[in-house]
Amino acid sequence: MDFDVIVEYMPMYVKAFFLTVKIGWIGIALSLLIGIIAAFILHFKIPVLAQVVKVYVEIFRNTPLLVQLFFIYFGLPKVGLSISAEVCGAVGLLGGSYMAESFRSGLEAVPVLQMESALALGMNRLQMFRSVILPQAFSISVPAIVANIIFLLKETSVFSAISLMDLMFTAKDLIGQYYNTTECLVMLVGFYIIMLLPVSVLGTMVEHKARYRMFGD
């Protein structure tokens, strides 16, 4: 292990780390937005839109992210639509399909008795949805949402395939040029741990808090 090499490469890894984090979290934010909208459409069975969302979810959940990136980055320019590597990486289509299923399962897991009780107490449907359904659906969905966030952050490692200067691309590029494989891989693992460990710890705390609010244990 040559620590001089690690010091020399550190600025490049730091730059790649911040780019990876930025694109990863933009993608997650878009995924959450897409997922919430799609889940509501599926839950309320909105005509036509529900069928479109079902097709979208099935396609993007059952194809690899790498294939999707290749299609967007290399395929769309063939029909005159060019998208930069950063925008391509931040598009939350894969994540949106996973988040949609997480939110939908949470909405459908709320007991019907809870809704009937809310209506019996004189709540209108909007009040019932805001005060009864959403809080419980969110609590139920938290573990799946946290797992999806960690999964999507790890999936940023495939962005190097479209020449995005992320952590994986930087590591492969330096290994290819200078053959300092051990140092490059140790730094790669280290930066991914720095990126993912806080999310995992915070996610566990949020899960426990949500479970306590719902079940009291």
Side-chain angles (χ1 to χ4, degrees), residues 10-70:
M10 186 63 69
M12 288 177 279
Y13 272 88
V14 170
K15 182 178 179 181
F17 171 79
F18 282 113
L19 177 62
T20 304
V21 169
K22 181 183 77 172
I23 293 176
W25 279 103
I26 290 174
I28 288 168
L30 290 173
S31 297
L32 288 168
L33 179 61
I34 294 171
I36 290 171
I37 295 172
F40 286 165
I41 291 172
L42 291 173
H43 181 71
F44 292 107
K45 299 180 174 62
I46 299 174
V48 181
L49 288 179
Q51 284 70 35
V52 172
V53 170
K54 284 180 182 179
V55 172
Y56 153 70
V57 169
E58 291 302 319
I59 289 176
F60 283 91
R61 279 184 51 139
N62 292 290
T63 53
L65 177 58
L66 185 59
V67 173
Q68 296 172 21
L69 288 175
F70 280 173

Side-chain angles (χ1 to χ4, degrees), residues 1 21 36 90 95 116 122-124 129 135 152 158 160-161 191 193 203-204:
M1 180 73 68
V21 169
I36 290 171
E116 293 175 348
M123 291 185 180
N124 59 41
F129 192 75
L152 293 172
V158 307
S160 60
F191 274 101
I193 290 174
T204 301

Side-chain angles (χ1 to χ4, degrees), residues 123-170:
M123 291 185 180
N124 59 41
R125 292 192 176 275
L126 180 60
Q127 290 173 325
M128 176 188 69
F129 192 75
R130 184 182 67 243
S131 302
V132 177
I133 298 177
L134 274 184
Q136 293 185 70
F138 177 75
S139 296
I140 295 168
S141 301
V142 164
I145 293 170
V146 171
N148 287 339
I149 289 173
I150 294 173
F151 164 74
L152 293 172
L153 286 174
K154 290 191 293 185
E155 284 294 286
T156 58
S157 60
V158 307
F159 292 165
S160 60
I162 56 173
S163 302
L164 195 61
M165 294 289 288
D166 66 337
L167 284 169
M168 183 64 72
F169 185 95
T170 299

Side-chain angles (χ1 to χ4, degrees), residues 73-197:
Y73 188 69
F74 296 112
L76 292 185
K78 300 296 183 182
V79 294
L81 184 59
S82 296
I83 301 177
S84 69
E86 288 193 19
V87 174
C88 182
V91 171
L93 295 177
L94 172 70
S97 64
Y98 279 91
M99 293 298 183
E101 287 297 286
S102 298
F103 284 118
R104 184 189 61 79
S105 62
L107 289 170
E108 294 184 356
V110 178
V112 175
L113 182 61
Q114 297 274 351
M115 306 177 200
E116 293 175 348
S117 299
L119 293 173
L121 289 171
M123 291 185 180
N124 59 41
R125 292 192 176 275
L126 180 60
Q127 290 173 325
M128 176 188 69
F129 192 75
R130 184 182 67 243
S131 302
V132 177
I133 298 177
L134 274 184
Q136 293 185 70
F138 177 75
S139 296
I140 295 168
S141 301
V142 164
I145 293 170
V146 171
N148 287 339
I149 289 173
I150 294 173
F151 164 74
L152 293 172
L153 286 174
K154 290 191 293 185
E155 284 294 286
T156 58
S157 60
V158 307
F159 292 165
S160 60
I162 56 173
S163 302
L164 195 61
M165 294 289 288
D166 66 337
L167 284 169
M168 183 64 72
F169 185 95
T170 299
K172 292 196 300 185
D173 188 50
L174 290 172
I175 291 172
Q177 289 188 64
Y178 305 109
Y179 302 102
N180 294 310
T181 305
T182 302
E183 292 81 2
C184 290
L185 293 181
V186 166
M187 294 178 74
L188 180 65
V189 171
F191 274 101
Y192 268 108
I193 290 174
I194 292 171
M195 181 170 64
L196 292 168
L197 187 59

